[in-house]
Amino acid sequence: MRFIPHVTVATIVEDQGRYLMVEELSNNRVVFNQPAGHLEADESLIQAAHRETLEETAWTVEITGITGVYLFRGENGVTYQRTCFTALPLAHQPELELDRGILRAHWMTLDEIRARQAELRSPLVLECILDYLNKPRYPLDLIR
């Protein structure tokens, strides 16, 4: 059997100690996640991070770095390869319609995110934020 992981991106957008988070429906439950999604054909990882952040939050961002590359096997048995980016918020466009399944975007503190740990889409949500806070960030030219 051929192993094919799903390539995804996530974006940590931080502003004055608050993180841009998405409240969404996943498998009939409400969960919290960074703006995140799958890479599309003919799209770079950075383009995917821009697109997913805008589609899920109505925020335009400047992608500034990479927190890390993660592998995660979901409860569905699928393995996801997530590249987690860092970004600065540039402009909010509240007139944009959010992606299907997205309930709303929130700015949350780390304590608020930790308090909802049971509601996070996956353990990667908190792990990526903690890596953002405690580990080196890598330049975008790491991606070739």
Side-chain angles (χ1 to χ4, degrees):
M1 178 198 281
R2 187 165 181 219
F3 172 69
I4 303 174
H6 291 229
V7 178
T8 63
V9 296
T11 308
I12 296 175
V13 184
E14 190 258 342
D15 186 33
Q16 299 179 21
R18 297 179 86 76
Y19 299 90
L20 185 58
M21 299 291 288
V22 174
E23 183 180 0
E24 62 185 335
L25 286 173
S26 176
N27 298 323
N28 296 317
R29 69 183 259 254
V30 175
V31 296
F32 290 84
N33 197 8
Q34 285 97 11
H38 289 82
L39 179 70
E40 293 183 358
D42 300 321
E43 179 179 56
S44 74
L45 291 168
I46 295 169
Q47 289 168 334
H50 274 284
R51 177 185 52 75
E52 288 291 351
T53 303
L54 182 63
E55 289 176 353
E56 293 191 353
T57 68
W59 276 89
T60 302
V61 297
E62 175 188 353
I63 305 294
T64 58
I66 300 167
T67 300
V69 178
Y70 305 80
L71 281 179
F72 175 73
R73 185 176 175 135
E75 292 175 7
N76 58 5
V78 173
T79 298
Y80 299 90
Q81 178 182 320
R82 173 190 260 205
T83 302
C84 189
F85 292 93
T86 60
L88 298 172
L90 297 178
H92 186 226
Q93 301 171 59
E95 71 280 1
L96 293 180
E97 186 175 324
L98 301 180
D99 265 359
R100 187 174 50 106
I102 304 298
L103 303 175
R104 63 192 57 85
H106 299 273
W107 287 98
M108 300 172 71
T109 65
L110 180 58
D111 288 341
E112 291 169 331
I113 295 166
R114 279 188 166 132
R116 294 186 175 268
Q117 197 161 345
E119 299 168 72
L120 299 181
R121 182 157 183 164
S122 82
L124 290 182
V125 176
L126 185 57
E127 183 179 348
C128 287
I129 292 172
L130 294 176
D131 285 353
Y132 167 81
L133 291 170
N134 299 306
K135 293 187 177 179
R137 296 179 206 149
Y138 301 96
L140 294 175
D141 64 6
L142 179 71
I143 300 172
R144 302 274 180 209

